[in-house]
């Protein structure tokens, strides 16, 4: 059944997207918006082939998502069709991404399970196609409402589900459309500041759409608060606050000032309302959770010590921890689990699985995207600069969360990251070309 669904999608959806995206116009905007919103649907918009559901690593099968199919169609359509500007066949940071992929491939060669490693290698290819497609679709010509509508739809989908679970179903910690509550902060925090910046800083937006953009951004913050994730709440609050302050400094419009004040009042009121629940969560967080994290972190450090160059194999941390006594003999909190979980520290996890070489290239990738966002934010002009700041703050929140979570590897989070990197690189290109002297 899954194979038939995939074949139908490849035979109908992808060619349709290709045909309708050959020319600049609204179809490209519609498909780009759906691509950006699709990861918010979680597993409802994906199929897993050769699935290993009992495995507890980040990747458990050869996955295909709706976003992947749309990205493939857009990439082909843009490559073959009419373009307002030339394609960047190797967009910014492509060589660093290739370097990290090759390091992961090398680690897969020594991994205990080549199949588990192949799951993640397949995902890395898909993520690059998403990044390439978003970057070049925006460069080739897309209506300006397309990227905004995609991020707004993603925020609205998750926020609606979070409100439903919190107030209709009585969830203490909502998980919205995802498998776990901890996914929400890493997914939403990276896009929320840019969506807020759009509402506060886009002078071409109608007041209604600007307020909608701000309202959805606040809904995203509410969703993070409803997860009771302490780090996620702190980072969401900081990202919201610095975005509002920067917008006030750069946009001296009456609408921006009034809206910013309303956002700050909503932030204070929401903080007061949620303070009791947050304090209860802080005081009564289970000690076992912290102990388990420390035990897994120690295991990751031990794996790195024994395999410093290329690690134990991408997506193989749980496999190694489960089956090799030298790494699990100290485990006590999760000792009764048949399958070990994942180290809740994306940097230690990457070190353990790909060694110092892979980790250095991983850092190179994310730091270069941060640098590009920072350059757009502080050397760019107008709305593009404010959006660059939004992506900078959002990605900084994502990477700060990595010291406590491995959820960067989860498909919706990673896809949102690839897509927003594509947006910021294309916007940075726009800004640089607009400011360059005519030839």
């Amino acid at each position: 059944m899954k194979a038939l669904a995939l074949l139908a999608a490849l035979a109908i959806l992808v060619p349709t997207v290709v045909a309708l995206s050959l020319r600049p116009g609204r179809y490209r905007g519609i498909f780009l918006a759906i691509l950006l919103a699709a990861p918010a649907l979680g597993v409802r918009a994906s199929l897993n082939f050769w699935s290993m559901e009992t495995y507890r690593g980040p990747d458990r099968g050869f996955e295909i998502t709706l976003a992947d199919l749309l990205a493939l169609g857009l990439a082909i359509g843009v490559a073959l069709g009419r373009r307002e500007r030339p394609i960047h066949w190797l967009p910014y940071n492509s060589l660093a991404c290739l370097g990290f992929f090759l390091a992961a491939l090398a680690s897969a060669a020594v991994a205990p399970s080549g199949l588990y490693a192949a799951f993640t290698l397949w995902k890395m290819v898909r993520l690059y196609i998403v990044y390439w497609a978003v970057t070049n679709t925006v460069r080739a010509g897309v209506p300006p409402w397309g990227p905004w509508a995609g991020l707004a739809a993603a925020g609205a989908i998750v926020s609606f589900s979070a409100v439903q679970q919190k107030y209709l179903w009585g969830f203490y910690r909502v998980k919205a459309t995802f498998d776990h509550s901890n996914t929400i902060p890493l997914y939403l925090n990276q896009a929320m500041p840019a969506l807020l910046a759009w509402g506060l800083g886009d002078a071409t937006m109608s007041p209604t759409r600007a307020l909608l953009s701000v309202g959805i951004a606040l809904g995203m913050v509410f969703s993070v608060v409803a997860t009771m994730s302490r780090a996620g709440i702190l980072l969401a609050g900081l990202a919201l606050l610095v975005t509002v302050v920067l917008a006030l400094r750069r946009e001296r419009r009456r609408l921006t000032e009034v809206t910013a004040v309303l956002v700050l009042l909503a932030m204070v009121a929401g903080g007061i309302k949620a303070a009791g629940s947050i304090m209860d969560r802080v005081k009564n967080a289970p000690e076992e959770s912290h102990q388990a994290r420390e035990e897994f972190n120690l295991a990751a450090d031990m794996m790195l010590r024994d395999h410093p160059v290329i690690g134990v194999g991408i997506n193989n941390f749980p496999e190694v921890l489960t089956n090799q006594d030298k790494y699990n003999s100290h485990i006590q909190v999760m000792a009764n689990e048949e399958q070990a979980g994942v180290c809740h520290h994306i940097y230690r996890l990457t070190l353990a699985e790909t060694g110092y070489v892979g980790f250095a290239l991983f850092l190179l990738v994310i730091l270069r995207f941060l640098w590009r966002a920072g350059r757009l934010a502080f050397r760019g002009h107008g709305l593009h600069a404010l959006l660059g700041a939004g992506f900078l703050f959002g990605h900084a929140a994502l990477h700060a969360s990595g010291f406590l979570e491995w959820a960067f590897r989860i498909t919706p989070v990673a896809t949102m990251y690839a897509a927003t990197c594509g947006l910021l690189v294309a916007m940075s290109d726009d800004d640089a070309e607009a400011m360059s002297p005519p030839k």
Side-chain angles (χ1 to χ4, degrees):
M1 195 66 182
K2 289 182 177 180
L4 289 175
L6 177 61
L7 289 174
L10 290 173
I12 299 173
L13 178 61
V14 174
T16 300
V17 174
V18 171
L20 294 177
S21 60
L22 289 173
R23 296 181 179 181
R26 64 189 182 96
Y27 288 114
R28 284 183 185 172
I30 291 170
F31 293 137
L32 179 60
I34 298 173
L35 187 161
L36 291 168
L41 298 172
V43 296
R44 298 166 183 82
S46 71
L47 291 174
N48 240 344
F49 295 89
W50 205 328
S51 181
M52 306 286 288
E53 291 302 321
T54 59
Y55 187 56
R56 297 184 64 182
D59 298 306
R60 304 171 186 179
F62 291 111
E63 187 180 19
I64 294 287
T65 70
L66 176 59
D68 298 331
L69 296 174
L70 289 164
L72 179 61
L74 279 170
I76 297 172
V78 166
L80 298 178
R82 291 171 52 190
R83 302 180 292 272
E84 295 179 356
R85 288 175 296 167
I87 279 180
H88 278 176
W89 293 103
L90 284 177
Y92 175 80
N93 224 11
S94 289
L95 294 181
C97 292
L98 176 61
F100 180 52
F101 176 80
L102 293 176
L105 185 63
S107 78
V110 301
S113 174
L115 178 61
Y116 295 159
F119 293 160
T120 297
L121 294 172
W122 169 242
K123 174 187 278 186
M124 293 171 76
V125 172
R126 291 163 34 223
L127 291 174
Y128 182 78
I129 293 173
V130 170
Y131 168 63
W132 194 98
V134 172
T135 302
N136 282 298
T137 298
V138 176
R139 282 187 55 82
V142 68
W145 50 260
W148 173 85
L151 295 184
I157 290 168
V158 178
S159 299
F160 176 81
S161 181
V163 170
Q164 182 183 49
Q165 291 178 3
K166 185 71 174 178
Y167 294 113
L168 295 182
W169 299 348
F171 282 28
Y172 174 61
R173 300 188 66 199
V174 305
K175 60 179 183 178
T177 52
F178 304 120
D179 293 332
H180 196 280
S181 300
N182 290 347
T183 306
I184 294 177
L186 281 81
Y187 178 76
L188 292 182
N189 280 349
Q190 58 181 309
M192 178 273 295
L195 190 60
L196 179 63
W198 239 311
L200 293 175
D202 190 348
T204 66
M205 270 190 180
S206 67
T208 300
R209 205 170 89 180
L211 290 174
L212 178 62
S213 187
V214 171
I216 293 174
L218 290 176
M220 295 162 80
V221 175
F222 164 81
S223 301
V224 173
V225 172
T227 66
M228 293 297 154
S229 168
R230 292 160 291 176
I233 294 170
L234 175 62
L235 291 168
L238 287 174
L240 183 148
L241 185 61
V242 294
T243 302
V244 170
V245 170
L246 189 62
L248 281 173
R249 289 189 61 185
R250 293 190 177 182
E251 293 294 326
R252 295 295 182 181
R253 294 187 300 140
R254 184 66 174 172
L255 179 62
T256 300
E257 294 173 351
V258 172
T259 306
V261 170
L262 292 176
V263 169
L264 292 174
L265 290 175
M267 182 180 178
V268 172
I272 293 172
K273 187 177 186 303
S277 298
I278 295 172
M279 291 303 298
D280 178 70
R281 170 70 176 160
V282 171
K283 292 179 181 178
N284 298 311
E287 181 62 25
E288 292 82 2
S289 177
H290 174 72
Q291 292 174 356
R293 289 173 186 266
E294 291 302 315
E295 290 176 356
F296 281 17
N297 287 345
L298 177 59
D301 293 343
M302 294 166 66
M303 292 179 197
L304 175 64
R305 182 189 62 204
D306 293 343
H307 307 272
V309 181
I310 56 175
V312 299
I314 192 74
N315 199 37
N316 268 253
F317 178 90
E319 173 72 7
V320 173
L321 186 58
T322 299
N323 297 312
Q324 297 190 24
D325 292 341
K326 66 183 298 185
Y327 299 124
N328 64 34
S329 60
H330 68 284
I331 300 294
Q332 297 180 5
V333 176
M334 308 292 287
N336 295 325
E337 298 284 337
E338 291 186 10
Q339 286 276 338
V342 186
C343 171
H344 281 63
H345 191 300
I346 192 65
Y347 306 108
R348 277 189 162 115
L349 178 62
T350 305
L351 277 164
E353 291 189 340
T354 64
Y356 286 112
V357 174
F359 179 69
L361 290 163
F362 172 72
L363 279 186
L364 180 64
V365 170
I366 63 175
L367 289 175
R368 278 177 57 83
F369 279 128
L370 281 174
W371 180 84
R372 188 63 173 252
R375 191 182 74 168
L376 178 59
F378 299 109
R379 295 179 60 185
H381 302 80
L383 178 62
H384 281 159
L386 192 56
L387 293 176
F391 288 125
L392 174 64
F393 302 148
H395 288 181
L398 170 68
H399 299 319
S401 297
F403 289 98
L404 298 170
E405 290 292 344
W406 59 269
F408 190 7
R409 294 269 194 94
I410 293 176
T411 297
V413 177
T415 304
M416 174 65 88
Y417 179 70
T420 52
C421 284
L423 289 178
L424 79 87
V425 168
M427 290 176 182
S428 182
D429 291 342
D430 283 348
D431 191 82
E433 291 174 17
M435 293 300 114
S436 62
K439 296 181 181 180

